[in-house]
Amino acid sequence: MELNNTKGTWQYNLFTTVKENMAVSRSREEFVKNMNALGYKVKWDDSHKYITFTTPDGHIRRNNKLYPVEDFTKDALQRRFDVNKSNFDKGIKIDSNKNETKDISKLDKEMIFVEKLISEDKGNRAINYITRGDKTSAKLITGINCSPESALNEMMLTKKMFNKNEGRQFIHFVHSFHDHEDISPELAHEISLKLIEQERFKGFEILAATHTDEDHLHTHFILNTVNSETGMKWQQSIKEVKALIEFSNRLCEEYGLKYSYSNKKKKSYNKSETLGERKAKEEGRSWKQELQLAAKSVLKHSTSKEEFIKNMNQLGYAVKWDSTDDRVTFITSNGRPCRNTSLYPPKIFSKDAMEKRFSINKQFENSKQEFRHEVQMQAMQDIILETINKLSHNPSLGNSNYPFSYLEGQALKEKMKEKEKGEGLDWDR
């Protein structure tokens, strides 16, 4: 799950922008023009050894500070431009080296644009951009400690109230998902909002908007740098950035995501792991996701709490459903506890929601039984009508072994019983 402005912040944005443009430019002039179009200034003088880049928000960096250095020297860049021109003349399409880099750069372009607006004190335009109707929708826009409709006014009022109108006004960052991730925009938005539930974001006004206009879903955040409760300015260390990435990875695991981890090292198998646990890891699944799938499947077919618990027990899960506790606790076969509030979506695993589902399942089961009974009765009626029809057209078949003959015999027996009781007497006798 990429936190794109944390992988080097402005330095990383500069690196990816230079790398992308050197991959498609056919001359120094075209390269400088492309960089300028993205808000970057490029000082490339023949009298100077180095090229100097200035970012949209005023940061300065020479080409000898980009890594690997040998790829960004004047000679290396010029050689790349010559290759691009030669390929273009031959009709070979110029493209980035790797699709992954190109995809990242697409998002970086958008980030650079928003950063540029913020650096130019155009917070209103930045907010308008991330909430554009062609990129997101109302249900994918959320205000934290502010209303989405009046977020900018509320943020500016906070600054005025604490007399902190100087310096950086807003912080912008993006939380993105891999394009292979099979999740809905609503779920992506929910996970991104979980990211800012940490204590460090408490009291800050934040506008979040999840974009769906690219293959990879991603959420933009614009944060007011002045805390609405304390008046303190936003600060974040590199250590806190790393902790945020780790928290993002934990969210990936909790929600059963497969591809959106960031800088996560592969772990070797533990000798005590079962074959099922290893398979789950290989397929990107977690024990919590396995529990979630099992509970969801059992919930669909259980008609009572007792039946639900019994079915879960058969799958190897213990269930603690205490009337004195609002929560239900599931325990895996290897002793891992998990509360119903940690399963997704939590609203279908609440006690009330599960009880309602049991009731619906019960009604459905009763309806199925009634339907089967009606089908059986209808089949019998069809047989009777068919028999009557045949006998009416061919009375000679009256002694044949038709169902109607059996029914007539049953009626005769009932009539004889009635006579034994006596005409007009009480049947209860």
Side-chain angles (χ1 to χ4, degrees):
M1 192 171 296
E2 303 289 344
L3 290 165
N4 287 288
N5 71 330
T6 63
K7 296 179 70 172
T9 59
W10 64 266
Q11 296 97 323
Y12 177 71
N13 290 337
L14 171 62
F15 165 76
T16 54
T17 305
V18 170
K19 191 171 183 180
E20 182 187 48
N21 282 293
M22 65 182 278
V24 298
S25 299
R26 291 165 288 174
S27 65
R28 182 175 82 179
E29 292 73 23
E30 185 178 356
F31 173 75
V32 173
K33 181 180 177 181
N34 290 339
M35 291 294 291
N36 290 341
L38 293 172
Y40 288 84
K41 295 178 182 179
V42 183
K43 188 177 181 181
W44 187 330
D45 294 337
D46 294 335
S47 57
H48 289 80
K49 182 179 179 180
Y50 301 112
I51 303 169
T52 302
F53 299 98
T54 305
T55 69
D57 51 357
H59 293 286
I60 299 174
R61 173 140 293 190
R62 288 177 176 175
N63 60 326
N64 65 328
K65 296 296 182 181
L66 301 179
Y67 179 84
V69 176
E70 60 270 19
D71 287 354
F72 297 98
T73 64
K74 283 186 175 181
D75 289 342
L77 287 172
Q78 191 58 60
R79 284 196 297 271
R80 184 57 189 265
F81 299 153
D82 292 341
V83 171
N84 291 344
K85 186 176 186 306
S86 175
N87 288 338
F88 182 81
D89 292 341
K90 294 175 184 177
I92 300 174
K93 183 181 178 182
I94 299 175
D95 203 349
S96 299
N97 288 334
K98 296 181 180 180
N99 289 332
E100 183 182 355
T101 301
K102 185 176 74 171
D103 289 341
I104 291 175
S105 297
K106 271 186 179 181
L107 187 54
D108 278 342
K109 280 184 180 180
E110 190 173 55
M111 288 186 62
I112 291 165
F113 177 70
V114 176
E115 286 286 340
K116 187 173 186 292
L117 293 176
I118 290 176
S119 67
E120 295 175 352
D121 289 333
K122 297 176 181 176
N124 60 328
R125 287 186 58 189
I127 287 175
N128 289 340
Y129 177 81
I130 72 167
T131 56
R132 271 172 42 175
D134 59 335
K135 293 182 173 293
T136 185
S137 61
K139 63 182 178 181
L140 300 177
I141 301 173
T142 301
I144 295 89
N145 297 319
C146 62
S147 171
E149 295 78 15
S150 57
L152 180 65
N153 291 335
E154 292 179 52
M155 291 178 183
M156 297 311 294
L157 184 62
T158 297
K159 295 177 187 296
K160 186 175 181 180
M161 183 172 64
F162 289 101
N163 195 26
K164 291 189 176 179
N165 299 305
E166 301 298 326
R168 189 171 179 84
Q169 300 295 298
F170 304 99
I171 296 293
H172 170 245
F173 63 98
V174 174
H175 191 221
S176 67
F177 300 83
H178 197 284
D179 56 2
H180 291 168
E181 207 69 76
D182 185 18
I183 56 174
S184 65
E186 292 77 13
L187 180 56
H189 190 65
E190 178 182 323
I191 297 173
S192 291
L193 292 182
K194 287 279 186 183
L195 186 73
I196 56 174
E197 287 182 359
Q198 291 187 307
E199 185 67 21
R200 75 183 74 171
F201 293 102
K202 183 181 178 183
F204 284 96
E205 295 158 321
I206 307 171
L207 185 65
T210 299
H211 283 193
T212 59
D213 58 327
E214 298 290 347
D215 292 336
H216 59 289
L217 300 170
H218 55 281
T219 302
H220 286 264
F221 295 94
I222 291 183
L223 175 146
N224 184 7
T225 53
V226 181
N227 191 292
S228 63
E229 295 178 2
T230 66
M232 300 293 290
K233 292 277 288 202
W234 170 260
Q235 292 184 352
Q236 182 165 257
S237 65
I238 294 176
K239 184 178 179 181
E240 287 173 324
V241 169
K242 291 180 179 178
L244 194 61
I245 293 175
E246 290 175 3
F247 182 56
S248 175
N249 286 339
R250 287 202 300 274
L251 287 174
C252 284
E253 184 176 354
E254 288 182 14
Y255 280 83
L257 304 188
K258 297 182 179 181
Y259 309 103
S260 299
Y261 293 88
S262 179
N263 300 333
K264 190 171 182 180
K265 294 180 181 179
K266 293 183 179 179
K267 295 182 179 179
S268 58
Y269 290 133
N270 189 311
K271 291 182 180 180
S272 63
E273 288 177 344
T274 65
L275 181 62
E277 288 172 332
R278 290 187 183 183
K279 184 173 177 58
K281 277 190 175 182
E282 290 169 0
E283 296 178 0
R285 295 178 284 116
S286 68
W287 64 270
K288 188 173 290 185
Q289 187 186 19
E290 293 294 317
L291 166 60
Q292 180 175 294
L293 293 173
K296 188 177 287 187
S297 178
V298 171
L299 186 60
K300 287 181 180 179
H301 305 287
S302 300
T303 58
S304 67
K305 178 182 76 174
E306 292 72 23
E307 185 180 358
F308 174 77
I309 294 174
K310 179 183 177 182
N311 291 337
M312 289 297 291
N313 291 162
Q314 290 176 350
L315 293 176
Y317 295 96
V319 182
K320 186 179 179 182
W321 189 314
D322 195 338
S323 58
T324 61
D325 192 344
D326 291 337
R327 296 163 296 188
V328 178
T329 301
F330 300 93
I331 302 173
T332 66
S333 57
N334 58 359
R336 285 183 170 180
C338 180
R339 288 175 176 163
N340 57 331
T341 52
S342 297
L343 300 182
Y344 178 83
K347 61 183 179 181
I348 75 167
F349 290 108
S350 69
K351 274 189 172 183
D352 289 342
M354 288 195 286
E355 291 281 9
K356 287 178 182 176
R357 183 57 191 261
F358 299 151
S359 178
I360 292 172
N361 291 346
K362 183 69 174 176
Q363 292 175 20
F364 180 69
E365 186 65 31
N366 292 338
S367 297
K368 285 199 299 184
Q369 292 177 359
E370 291 175 4
F371 177 73
R372 283 195 293 266
H373 180 68
E374 289 178 4
V375 170
Q376 291 171 352
M377 291 299 295
Q378 185 63 49
M380 181 174 285
Q381 289 177 16
D382 291 343
I383 291 174
I384 293 171
L385 291 174
E386 182 182 356
T387 302
I388 293 173
N389 184 50
K390 287 184 177 180
L391 289 175
S392 64
H393 287 85
N394 196 348
S396 63
L397 296 177
N399 294 326
S400 298
N401 189 25
Y402 279 100
F404 189 61
S405 302
Y406 167 77
L407 292 174
E408 281 185 328
Q410 290 296 104
L412 182 58
K413 287 180 181 179
E414 292 295 333
K415 192 171 183 181
M416 289 173 67
K417 286 182 182 179
E418 183 179 351
K419 283 187 173 294
E420 288 177 1
K421 292 181 179 182
E423 296 289 345
L425 296 179
D426 190 351
W427 274 63
D428 293 332
R429 179 178 170 181

